Amino acid sequence: MNLFISSDIEGTCGIAHWAETELGKPDYEPFRRQMTREVAAACEGAFAAGCEDLLIKDAHDSARNLIPAELPERVSIFRGWGSDIHSMMSGIDASFAGAIFTGYHSSSNTDASPLCHTMNLDNVSIRINGIQASELVINTFAAALYDVPVLLVTGDLGVCEQAKRLCPAIYTVPVSRGCGNGSISIHPAEAVKRIREKAEMAVADGIAHPEKFAVALPNNFDVEVEFVKHNRARRASFYPGVKQIGPRTVRFSSDAYYDVLRFFMFCL
């Protein structure tokens, strides 16, 4: 059983400020290490449940956050960006039996985290068929393109609740919850413990009952993006198939999610 892990940082236990997520900032190192510990815990749980190989996509900002030497020796790590439509899911294909998302966070236009956003800080809202789209939603659909089910999501409470709405079978580990411009989190060591335990449970369940984790892709996709600045909407309106429907809002529709990912790549 081969697994894919997409690892973000804003949903890492304890994070409450952008300075704790940015390479080179003084506050970054402790949270980079916690991010790495949480990914390692997910790997260890997966291996204990029978996983044979793991590919980890470092999926935040520089994509050079995880500390490779502190991860299990059996994993492979995709650092840097692949410059392809899969973005945070670069490396995904049909060979994987399941996916795990660690350190994920709530979407833009919500109040579940002080670091709420979707893909970048240039948009107010992204909706897919009326659903407020987080990176969780975008990447779960990307995995579904290859019939890869998401088994476990860790991060803030808001994104964990959204994972359950998307697929009730998905295991979750909420490590923090937003509170205004701050967050309330569990202890970092407790987060690592819970992630390791839930990863083993999720992967074992995924091996035994993969069908219950399946997320069916819609037959068509109606995507609306509201940008922070009106010039971004005008720029996106020149992408084939995009219609500007407001000063800061564009719409794109397609029957193929691959096309939606391509729209995101060039317009977000």
Side-chain angles (χ1 to χ4, degrees):
M1 185 180 188
N2 302 330
L3 292 180
F4 183 92
I5 294 182
S6 176
S7 180
D8 206 352
I9 199 172
E10 290 93 349
T12 296
C13 185
I15 282 185
H17 194 276
W18 289 107
E20 297 166 346
T21 73
E22 297 175 18
L23 185 66
K25 293 291 180 70
D27 295 340
Y28 170 75
E29 282 300 322
F31 294 97
R32 176 191 196 185
R33 292 190 176 278
Q34 179 64 19
M35 176 191 184
T36 303
R37 283 191 288 266
E38 292 181 12
V39 172
C43 294
E44 290 162 3
F47 286 134
C51 172
E52 297 172 353
D53 291 295
L54 263 168
L55 174 62
I56 302 166
K57 176 69 190 86
D58 189 324
H60 170 70
D61 197 25
S62 67
R64 295 183 288 115
N65 307 280
L66 294 169
I67 305 168
E70 296 183 10
L71 294 169
E73 294 181 10
R74 294 165 62 184
V75 306
S76 299
I77 310 159
F78 189 154
R79 302 178 74 240
W81 292 106
S83 302
D84 61 82
I85 65 163
H86 297 106
S87 186
M88 297 174 71
M89 299 294 286
S90 286
I92 191 74
D93 60 34
S95 69
F96 295 97
I100 292 173
F101 297 162
T102 64
Y104 267 51
H105 54 82
S106 296
S107 72
S108 57
N109 208 32
T110 63
D111 62 358
S113 163
L115 281 67
C116 286
H117 69 284
T118 303
M119 303 306 289
N120 54 52
L121 300 179
D122 294 332
N123 64 79
V124 175
S125 174
I126 299 173
R127 292 185 177 274
I128 300 176
N129 295 350
I131 298 173
Q132 186 72 49
S134 61
E135 291 161 18
L136 164 78
V137 172
I138 291 170
N139 294 336
T140 297
F141 284 172
L145 269 176
Y146 302 96
D147 295 320
V148 178
V150 176
L151 308 178
L152 170 68
V153 174
T154 80
D156 66 54
L157 179 62
V159 79
C160 289
E161 290 176 341
Q162 186 177 48
K164 286 291 190 181
R165 292 193 297 272
L166 200 59
C167 176
I170 294 176
Y171 287 73
T172 62
V173 182
V175 299
S176 65
R177 60 183 175 89
C179 187
N181 198 37
S183 68
I184 300 171
S185 68
I186 61 177
H187 192 281
E190 179 64 18
V192 169
K193 178 183 176 183
R194 293 183 191 181
I195 291 169
R196 198 260 180 232
E197 291 173 350
K198 282 292 184 77
E200 184 172 356
M201 294 169 62
V203 173
D205 202 3
I207 292 172
H209 307 287
E211 69 286 346
K212 74 180 188 180
F213 293 92
V215 172
L217 285 172
N219 292 325
N220 50 69
F221 301 88
D222 186 32
V223 183
E224 288 191 9
V225 179
E226 180 184 355
F227 293 97
V228 174
K229 296 183 177 181
H230 64 86
N231 62 294
R232 289 299 305 273
R234 175 170 168 77
R235 180 179 184 273
S237 72
F238 289 94
Y239 185 83
V242 171
K243 180 180 181 181
Q244 186 167 357
I245 60 174
R248 295 182 292 122
T249 306
V250 299
R251 175 180 291 154
F252 177 79
S253 298
S254 177
D255 294 337
Y257 192 63
Y258 192 93
D259 291 340
V260 173
L261 291 177
R262 183 159 45 197
F263 160 67
F264 287 154
M265 179 180 183
F266 286 101
C267 295
L268 284 186

